[in-house]
């Protein structure tokens, strides 16, 4: 039997790929890539030439069974996305679940993902947090925000540069203008920057300076409600 390897790739700085990820990519029979052109650039940088197949949100439903068959037949398959960890706001979950259902072996390598450095950069509590990824753009957006209004854990969102200001304004509405926020952009890249302040201040900042690049928004949990693990243990 073969194996599915889920292989994180850099979110900007190509030095961030692990030695093991390079070896797995080298040894895999086939690489499944979200965008084969993007992955070609990485493979070329690593001096690798591989058989590649596209695996993205538009074909993953139709493709997963065939991939599982390949693995059952003995092939080693490496799944990568355009950047970061497959399955984190990227295709990956469906294939992992299908392989598990078929009793196939899967192995996920640790490696780059945007939300971990953004969370730690924020300086907000990281002992417990919730990753929200991209909020729904229309239907269900307000409901989701309503549900998060009293969330006491640090909250992490992915957002496109075109919607950052609008989203910060909406957060102000739901979480209050004084709620602390940390916005990290272009992590690991040349113009990496983290802007911290209240929601009102950071929204002002990005109204004055056009948001460019890739963004992670980290919002502090609801004040007064957050208990440390120790407090909860003491109360239990
Ligand atoms: N799989 C990726 C991961 O593990 O983080 C996420 C892919 S998702 C399609 C792309 C989003 O991730 C971007 O819109 C942005 O919110 C975030 N992101 C990816 N790279 C980033 C970077 N270098 N700096 C800041 N945010 C980044």
């Amino acid at each position: 039997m073969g194996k599915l390897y889920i292989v994180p790739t850099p979110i900007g700085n190509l030095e961030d790929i692990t030695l093991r990820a390079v070896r797995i990519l080298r040894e895999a029979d086939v690489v499944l890539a979200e965008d084969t052109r993007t992955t070609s650039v990485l493979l070329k940088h690593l001096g690798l030439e591989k058989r590649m197949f596209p695996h993205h949100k538009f074909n993953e439903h139709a493709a997963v069974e065939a991939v599982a068959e390949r693995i059952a037949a003995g092939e080693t398959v490496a799944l990568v996305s355009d950047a970061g960890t497959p399955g984190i706001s990227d295709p990956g979950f469906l294939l992992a679940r299908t392989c598990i259902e078929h009793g196939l072996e899967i192995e996920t390598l640790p490696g780059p993902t945007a939300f971990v450095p953004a969370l730690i950069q924020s300086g907000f509590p990281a002992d417990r947090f919730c990753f929200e990824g991209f909020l729904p753009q229309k239907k269900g957006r307000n409901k989701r925000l309503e549900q998060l209004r009293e969330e006491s854990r640090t909250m992490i969102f992915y957002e496109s540069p075109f919607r950052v200001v609008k989203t910060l304004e909406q957060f102000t509405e739901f979480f209050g203008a004084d709620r602390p926020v940390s916005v990290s952009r272009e992590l690991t890249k040349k113009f990496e920057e983290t802007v911290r302040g209240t929601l009102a201040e950071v929204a002002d900042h990005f109204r004055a300076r056009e948001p460019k690049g890739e963004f992670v928004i980290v919002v502090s949990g609801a004040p007064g409600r957050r208990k440390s693990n120790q407090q909860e243990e003491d109360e239990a």
Side-chain angles (χ1 to χ4, degrees), residues 11 81 83-85 88-90 112-115 134 158-159 184-189 214-216:
I11 57 165
S81 62
T85 300
I88 299 295
S89 299
D90 267 342
T113 189
F115 78 86
F134 291 99
Y158 283 172
E159 192 49 285
S184 289
R185 68 176 197 98
E186 295 293 84
L187 287 157
T188 79
K189 302 184 201 176
E214 300 197 276
F215 283 78
V216 184

